[in-house]
Amino acid sequence: MSIFSKIINREIPADIVYEQENIIVIKDIFPKAKTHLLIIPKKEIATINDLQEDDRWLLADMFFVAKKVARDLWIEEWYKLSFNVWEKAGQEVMHIHLHLLSNI
Ligand code: 5GP
């Protein structure tokens, strides 16, 4: 089970910013910007390369959640979204997550 699944299951603590049926948003424990959030599907998918056709709407939901959270936090005029894919690109946690970073 990934560290993010443990956070989703409330087995380890995290600063939860937003949650809905299929997605959770937490603050990154080692922020690389003034605001650094992780948008995480509750379904444990190891990497973007492991996505299945059935995950299409889940991915879309992740971006809609990013938009909502950015608006709610008043950072919608300046933010970046990114996925790291595999270790060489910096992926440490094998449970897909969308980084949302802003320096507003
Ligand atoms: P990756 O490098 O896999 O793209 O991103 C993983 C991110 O998760 C990193 O930015 C790291 O700081 C964050 N992270 C790792 N473990 C934890 C944790 O236990 N709690 C929280 N909130 N963030 C974590």
Side-chain angles (χ1 to χ4, degrees):
M1 186 188 287
S2 76
I3 191 116
F4 293 156
S5 289
K6 289 181 182 165
I7 288 172
I8 290 160
N9 294 338
R10 306 301 199 269
E11 290 168 27
I12 61 169
D15 203 336
I16 298 170
V17 173
Y18 175 76
E19 186 168 18
Q20 65 182 38
E21 184 201 350
N22 55 353
I23 291 167
I24 195 167
V25 182
I26 63 171
K27 290 188 181 174
D28 196 292
I29 203 165
F30 299 120
K32 284 132 199 118
K34 204 164 142 190
T35 300
H36 186 173
L37 306 178
L38 302 172
I39 297 157
I40 307 165
K42 292 187 179 175
K43 177 179 177 187
E44 191 171 322
I45 301 165
T47 81
I48 289 292
N49 292 338
D50 299 298
L51 286 172
Q52 305 293 316
E53 284 298 323
D54 283 356
D55 300 320
R56 191 175 291 271
W57 288 107
L58 178 58
L59 257 287
D61 277 356
M62 290 171 72
F63 284 96
F64 276 94
V65 166
K67 174 184 151 183
K68 176 197 162 32
V69 170
R71 191 180 57 234
D72 290 351
L73 296 178
W74 300 87
I75 56 171
E76 61 192 324
E77 288 180 1
W78 193 120
Y79 64 101
K80 290 196 228 182
L81 296 172
S82 65
F83 286 98
N84 294 326
V85 184
W86 278 97
E87 287 96 339
K88 284 181 187 167
Q91 184 175 2
E92 293 168 7
V93 180
M94 292 295 145
H95 180 155
I96 63 167
H97 48 283
L98 181 58
H99 292 262
L100 187 161
L101 298 113
S102 175
N103 276 321
I104 288 182

